[in-house]
């Protein structure tokens, strides 16, 4: 794993900043309100693959959490790229949809927390990108929606699955059928947003603080817990318990589990190494 994977210049459409274990990934197309062009989707795949590859003991776990956000101060991401979609045939659109499905599944597989810091519009594919993240933190200026029906489209980056999981079938149906936008307060009420902060500075401070809090825990355990929840979501209780049992067993194979339990009994703080 080399640092060049996170060098800002590596990605045409993204800005990356790795500071104190927090990787801030900014979709950088402010003139198009950070719309998810095919180039952005390809860069997101490359960036999240690099993050995935860095999450090992040998690589030193340089990334302990990711903040996803948008540039320009007006939008998180205003959706898939309407200009590009307007000329797509169904097969190209399908490939576009599937490529973004891959990005969202990769985000859910990452063994570190990914926080969507939403300041401004998170619409359509932008809301779906946020839904693939572990937590959605919103500024008071945030607005969410799945307005695809206004374009003769449907959610295509995972919203049909993840929005009902996050807010429930009733509110998800209403948002998708009406295409309406909701503000940060409503998003919090529905459980779409985990937290609402006054402005962009407080939004990022809260996201960094949460990542810092989680970074003090055993990294493999956090990753196993994330994997367990993702695997069990939407499955039967029996299947979910099987997935949890496998993760629980795997935790017992880690040095961090020995360290964590021993440190408790010796009444000292644990020193986790991610092994
Ligand atoms: C097994 C899988 C198979 C899948 C098979 C299915 C195929 C699926 C493929 C596709 C899946 C896609 C899934 C997601 C779909 C979507 O996201 S659809 C788009 C949803 N988003 C929207 O509808 C929002 C569109 N934007 C707006 O409504 C407004 O821009 C705004 C956010 C309300 C802001 O308005 P305003 O302040 O007036 O600014 P504007 O002038 O409108 O915008 C400024 C410039 O930004 C450009 N822009 C905005 N949004 C987009 C966008 N989504 N795409 C491209 N460009 C966008 C806008 O055009 C302006 O540009 P200029 O005119 O050049 O200045």
């Amino acid at each position: 794993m080399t640092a060049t994977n996170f060098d800002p210049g590596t990605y045409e459409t993204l800005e990356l900043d790795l500071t104190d274990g927090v990787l801030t990934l900014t979709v950088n197309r402010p003139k198009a309100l950070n719309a998810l062009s095919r180039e952005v989707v390809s860069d997101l795949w490359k960036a999240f693959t690099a993050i995935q590859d860095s999450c090992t003991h040998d690589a030193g776990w340089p990334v302990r959490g990711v903040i996803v956000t948008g540039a320009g101060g007006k939008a998180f991401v205003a959706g898939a790229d309407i200009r590009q979609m307007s000329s797509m045939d169904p097969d190209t659109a399908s490939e576009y949809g599937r490529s973004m499905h891959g990005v969202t599944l990769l985000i859910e597989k990452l063994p570190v927390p990914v926080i969507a810091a939403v300041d401004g519009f998170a619409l359509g594919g932008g809301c779906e990108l946020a839904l693939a993240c572990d937590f959605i933190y919103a500024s008071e200026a945030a607005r969410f929606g799945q307005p695809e029906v206004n374009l003769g489209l449907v959610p295509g980056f995972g919203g049909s699955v993840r929005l009902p999981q996050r807010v429930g079938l009733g509110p998800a149906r209403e948002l998708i059928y009406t295409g309406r936008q909701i503000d940060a307060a409503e998003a919090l009420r529905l459980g779409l947003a985990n937290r609402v902060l006054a402005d962009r500075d407080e939004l990022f401070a809260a996201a960094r603080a949460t990542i810092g809090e989680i970074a003090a825990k055993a990294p493999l355990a956090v990753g196993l817990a994330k994997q367990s929840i993702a695997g069990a979501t939407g499955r039967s209780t029996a299947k979910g318990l099987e997935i949890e049992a496998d993760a629980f067993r795997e935790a017992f194979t880690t040095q961090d589990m020995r360290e964590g339990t021993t440190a408790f009994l010796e009444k000292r703080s644990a020193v986790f190494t991610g092994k």
Side-chain angles (χ1 to χ4, degrees), residues 31-32 35 74 78-83 93 98 101 124-125 128 147 151 156:
K31 289 201 177 79
K74 183 171 177 181
D81 191 307
I82 298 170
R83 204 175 304 279
R98 287 180 192 283
H101 280 181
E128 292 170 295
L151 305 163

Side-chain angles (χ1 to χ4, degrees), residues 146-155 174-180:
Q146 296 289 166
E148 288 88 346
V149 288
N150 296 329
L151 305 163
L153 275 173
V154 296
E174 198 168 351
L175 285 171
I176 292 172
Y177 298 2
T178 63
R180 75 169 70 115

Side-chain angles (χ1 to χ4, degrees), residues 10 15 74 99 115 154 158 190 241 261 273:
T10 311
E15 263 177 9
K74 183 171 177 181
S99 60
I115 300 179
V154 296
L190 290 176
L241 292 177
T261 49
T273 59

